[in-house]
Amino acid sequence: MNFILDGLFQAIQLLIRGDGETYSAVSATLKVSTYSMVVSLLVGIPLGFLLGHHDFLWKKHIRTITDTLMSLPTVLVGLLVYAFLTSRGPLGEYGLLFTLEGIAIGQAILAIPIVIALTATAVESIDEKLRITLISLGADKKQVFYSTIWEARYGLLAAGMNAYGRVLTEVGIAMMVGGNIKWHTRTITTAIALETNKGQFEMGVALGLILMAIAGIVNFSLSFLRNRS
Amino acid sequence: MKRNVFITSLTMIAAFLILYGSAAFSGDVKLLRMATTTSTDDTGLLDYLKPYFVKETGIDIQWVATGTGKALKLGENCDADVLLVHAPDSEKKFVADGFGLNRNVVMYNDFVLIGPASDPAGVKSKNVKECLSAISSKNIKFVSRGDKSGTHQAEQALWKASGLPVPDKEPWYVQAGQGMLTTIQIAAEQNGYTLTDRGTYIKYEDTMKGNPPLKILVEGDDLLKNIYSVIVVNQAKCPNVKSDLAKAFSDWMSRPSTQKLITGFKLSGKQLFFISSK
Amino acid sequence: MHTPVYHLSGIKKFYNRHPAVDIKELSLHAGSITGLVGPNGSGKSTLLNLLAFVDSPSNGTILFNGRKAEPFSEAVRFRVSLLAQEPYLLKRSVYENIAYGLKLRRGDSSQYPKQVNEAMALVGLSPGEFSNRPWYGLSGGEAQRVALAARLVLKPEVLILDEPTAGVDADSARQIMACALTASREWGTTLVIASHNWKWLHEICGSVLQMFKGKIIGNGMENILFGPWNQGHDGYWEKALEDGRRIRVSTPPSPSSAAIIPQSFITLSSHAPTMKQDEHVLNGVIAQLSLEPATNTVMVSIRAGSQIFTLRIPQEKARETALFPGQKMYISYPLSAVTWC
């Protein structure tokens, strides 16, 4: 039990002391989650909009598939991405294995189905009357898209936060694709796994608390923005 | 107004990405990538050696610390330039299959059998064969790494060398599938025995503030020698690997000055790795 | 003769293979006010969506000012605006809701505040009080008026209103009705209005269209009698009322068809008329009398059991027969006047 309290003190110490390893892991985590979130939002929101807004053949089946992909195991994604990025894999020549960009690819694969499915739900929950209203106020197709996205902004925010939560806390992809290389691809989560393996439970707890703090800061600032608008 | 805030934040994120992106792709220094076992990393040996290596050779080095099984796999897939591992049989096969060159034995330490201070199997100061026979015949808990790591392979070899079948589904045989320290902790929780490299045990002893529930019960047997070697990944199989840098590392590890560094590496005042093995 | 604003030919709109709208031919002229009546589900909203170009017909073409148009056509953008039933307000302030269309049209942005304020004044909302209100801070009637202002601010050529006064308070309803007329009078806006408020429609509309099962079946002067119909032992088709009396009709195409009896074929008398061959006589009481000043007619509603018949008589005749609510009356119609839908 003691190590949890010790972990809290250690977390504070690490942050105040400006511990290099900790800040390196924090920076890696922030970078990689930002890359993957930007990609998954850019890809996921338009696809989710299409899925939620339009009717087409197989729509129901595609929704079921994206809903299922929301529970992709991170280790599986890690293995798949490794298979593509390894020097012997089809994308080996780009040298993305054991890089932050490589982890971001895997995390984007993890996050995109979440963004698609939750965007589709948010767009679906918007009234059909919105479309009618926008068209009858003179919106063209592009403006209908942008205005619908803007109307669904709270739903999209939830989609983004959900995906961010998954990306921030996953360890399987970061470990397998990133390799947990110190000063380089060691993220907070792989560092926690390592410290736990080394029996440094206090350190694991400390890093875990720092991760929680990051998630907290992100959520608080988003809800602050939300309340202001 | 709100839209502006939104667009501004997007722009900032984009700028952030471009800055970091360019930083990530600049600076193409000589970088050696190594796949190694957890014990060399967990004990801190690599962190201790790295600055000397960088200073003396001008080569930067990064490593992925994992089980020996996966480290060999990474070499097979050309994802590492050099390996530092400790499973002689697998290593020899790796080299024989053409994946690796110049298997260079650089250091050793030894394995120890640890167990509860109460020693329910009564194995203290016996040899490895007697010890394993006692554990299996008395059905005492034995925790195995169970992860194809060097230690796991060494343990399997010990069962065979003792003339016993390698246990698998026996209820007293626990296959953890975890790193060495976690495995020790599982053994401690379950009041069982396990096989560990001495380095990790010293580290464990250190974290337990010198009073661990598990003690060394069997040591010094010739069977327990744990040999580490450096293998250069074969450029013929993997055109993209930096075998010149890998060779440089292998040579550097054999240098007398480096060997001296290795023997000088201590944890809690105890030497972890030894040199001049056969 | 000018080109009509709308010319519809062979329009069909299907939902799940079920025709929601089926119109052979329809023209609406510039500056006209057209009312649309009919029971729920008769296809009014679907037709209005087609006229507003927010939806496309499954078959047929709609000409707008003589040219074929469809959703997102430049020819109809900002010119045709629909106020849907229970309108949707954007999640923005009242001001931003009303200015939305103006911003899309990219006019002189310095004029927006003035234009928005005028539109707000028109629907009776004080700009000072309402401009900065969020979308959720409005009553139903206020929201409806904001939505109307968002259309009026564009000064559209055609304004289409779908049940604009349903579910709003009386004060808002009055404002909305007045605004529609102002638009028609001041800017020559062509209005198409669906409403259950017959009285209002007959007051302001040049023509009223009666819709039923997706078709235009008349000019709003029809009585619709729903089935099911049974064949009596005397061979006539009829429907029993709760009190045991029967409404007799001609032979229906199917027992569940609806019978349509134009008002002009119904005769009203205070004494039992002599039964003629192939004519049906029924008695009932006057449930409602109301004057329609535009045409100098009196609308009479007669209740027979749960069935209400409506007909119109000249004001003169109403005075002569001294009608009063509750009075017992006889109505008769020839069976040949019954058409089916």
Side-chain angles (χ1 to χ4, degrees), chain B residues 55-254:
Chain B
K55 201 172 133 214
E56 289 168 30
T57 62
I59 300 168
D60 192 14
I61 182 167
Q62 288 179 351
W63 58 86
V64 176
T66 172
T68 294
K70 188 175 157 196
L72 290 170
K73 193 78 194 168
L74 288 175
E76 221 172 276
N77 285 341
C78 314
D79 294 325
D81 305 313
V82 70
L83 313 176
L84 173 57
V85 285
H86 66 129
D89 290 346
S90 304
E91 290 162 26
K92 282 170 192 156
K93 185 171 181 306
F94 183 81
V95 173
D97 289 345
F99 294 113
L101 302 168
N102 314 60
R103 178 169 173 266
N104 176 19
V105 175
V106 290
M107 62 187 189
Y108 75 93
N109 65 1
D110 61 343
F111 291 111
V112 290
L113 267 157
I114 59 173
S118 60
D119 191 15
V123 300
K124 191 158 173 60
S125 308
K126 292 188 170 157
N127 67 28
V128 171
K129 280 184 190 177
E130 293 162 342
C131 166
L132 291 183
S133 314
I135 289 171
S136 73
S137 63
K138 291 182 188 162
N139 292 355
I140 310 274
K141 273 258 155 67
F142 185 93
V143 182
S144 163
R145 286 281 291 275
D147 63 352
K148 284 258 159 39
S149 59
T151 310
H152 185 209
Q153 293 185 34
E155 177 217 313
Q156 287 178 318
L158 291 182
W159 290 106
K160 283 179 201 151
S162 311
L164 294 162
V166 178
D168 185 18
K169 288 182 183 155
E170 287 76 352
W172 52 268
Y173 187 71
V174 178
Q175 302 197 52
Q178 311 249 20
M180 193 66 250
L181 259 164
T182 317
T183 305
I184 295 177
Q185 269 143 5
I186 293 170
E189 300 276 350
Q190 303 218 349
N191 237 1
Y193 292 77
T194 191
L195 179 76
T196 170
D197 62 286
R198 191 184 292 271
T200 309
Y201 180 76
I202 292 170
K203 177 91 181 159
Y204 167 72
E205 212 176 16
D206 186 45
T207 53
M208 296 314 274
K209 306 196 169 65
N211 188 25
L214 299 184
K215 308 279 187 207
I216 295 177
L217 299 173
V218 178
E219 61 186 323
D221 193 315
D222 260 358
L223 287 171
L224 290 173
K225 208 162 215 181
N226 179 20
I227 298 164
Y228 289 81
S229 41
V230 173
I231 301 175
V232 174
V233 174
N234 189 355
Q235 201 161 27
K237 287 255 182 184
C238 301
N240 64 328
V241 298
K242 299 166 186 153
S243 43
D244 49 338
L245 304 187
K247 189 79 178 46
F249 176 76
S250 182
D251 293 345
W252 183 82
M253 283 296 277
S254 302

Side-chain angles (χ1 to χ4, degrees), chain C residues 83-262:
Chain C
L83 180 65
Q85 212 173 337
E86 299 164 46
Y88 184 96
L89 287 191
L90 303 174
K91 293 189 175 67
R92 309 163 188 219
S93 69
V94 166
Y95 178 89
E96 290 294 330
N97 262 283
I98 300 175
Y100 181 80
L102 288 177
K103 287 182 177 173
L104 293 185
R105 196 160 63 182
R106 294 174 196 278
D108 174 5
S109 62
S110 67
Q111 293 296 307
Y112 294 166
K114 191 171 147 267
Q115 287 168 298
V116 171
N117 285 357
E118 280 171 9
M120 289 182 75
L122 210 54
V123 297
L125 296 173
S126 127
E129 190 184 340
F130 284 94
S131 276
N132 293 323
R133 284 241 192 130
W135 70 97
Y136 49 78
L138 299 168
S139 75
E142 287 161 354
Q144 180 78 316
R145 278 145 71 189
V146 169
L148 180 59
R151 275 85 185 154
L152 291 175
V153 78
L154 296 170
K155 299 197 175 160
E157 245 171 78
V158 179
L159 181 60
I160 298 169
L161 306 173
D162 193 354
E163 303 282 0
T165 59
V168 305
D169 58 288
D171 200 37
S172 293
R174 210 166 31 72
Q175 295 262 15
I176 288 163
M177 294 193 282
C179 285
L181 272 187
T182 307
S184 164
R185 242 191 339 255
E186 305 251 318
W187 312 325
T189 303
T190 307
L191 295 179
V192 186
I193 307 168
S195 178
H196 285 298
N197 190 342
W198 287 43
K199 197 161 162 274
W200 177 46
L201 288 186
H202 282 290
E203 243 174 68
I204 64 163
C205 292
S207 65
V208 175
L209 305 175
Q210 168 80 53
M211 285 198 77
F212 188 67
K213 290 188 180 171
K215 292 186 172 128
I216 295 174
I217 57 162
N219 57 2
M221 305 286 186
E222 289 77 20
N223 288 289
I224 300 172
L225 283 63
F226 293 96
W229 307 95
N230 307 304
Q231 198 165 17
H233 36 74
D234 49 3
Y236 285 109
W237 284 85
E238 56 194 18
K239 175 171 83 166
L241 295 172
E242 296 79 353
D243 54 13
R245 287 182 299 150
R246 285 154 205 287
I247 297 176
R248 185 173 287 177
V249 291
S250 60
T251 310
S254 108
S256 60
S257 298
I260 297 156
I261 307 173

Side-chain angles (χ1 to χ4, degrees), chain B residues 22-65:
Chain B
S22 50
F25 288 109
S26 64
D28 199 27
V29 290
K30 286 195 284 180
L31 174 64
L32 176 66
R33 193 167 270 153
M34 175 164 74
T36 183
T37 92
T38 46
S39 53
T40 54
D41 188 37
D42 286 355
T43 52
L45 175 70
L46 292 176
D47 282 332
Y48 162 79
L49 290 178
K50 179 178 172 177
Y52 296 101
F53 176 69
V54 173
K55 201 172 133 214
E56 289 168 30
T57 62
I59 300 168
D60 192 14
I61 182 167
Q62 288 179 351
W63 58 86
V64 176

Side-chain angles (χ1 to χ4, degrees), chain A residues 80-95:
Chain A
L80 285 175
V81 175
Y82 172 78
F84 276 86
L85 299 189
T86 165
S87 299
R88 291 188 173 256
L91 304 178
E93 56 188 294
Y94 299 106

Side-chain angles (χ1 to χ4, degrees), chain A residues 126-141 143-144 146-147 150-154 229, chain C residues 49 53-54 72 77-78 80-82 84-86 88-92 97 100-101 104 106 135 150-151 154:
Chain A
I126 279 193
D127 228 299
E128 157 71 6
K129 282 174 212 128
L130 170 66
R131 195 182 69 86
I132 291 178
T133 299
L134 295 175
I135 299 175
S136 58
L137 291 177
D140 61 23
K141 283 181 182 170
Q143 290 158 341
V144 168
Y146 287 131
S147 291
W150 186 245
E151 285 299 295
R153 57 192 181 274
Y154 299 134
S229 60
Chain C
N49 283 352
F53 298 103
V54 297
F72 300 112
R77 250 185 114 190
F78 306 115
V80 179
S81 198
L82 163 73
Q85 212 173 337
E86 299 164 46
Y88 184 96
L89 287 191
L90 303 174
K91 293 189 175 67
R92 309 163 188 219
N97 262 283
Y100 181 80
L104 293 185
R106 294 174 196 278
W135 70 97
R151 275 85 185 154
L154 296 170

Side-chain angles (χ1 to χ4, degrees), chain C residues 272-290:
Chain C
T274 49
M275 283 281 260
K276 285 188 211 143
Q277 185 64 30
D278 292 330
E279 200 178 64
H280 182 58
V281 177
L282 193 67
N283 64 353
V285 291
I286 297 180
Q288 198 191 345
L289 285 169
S290 60

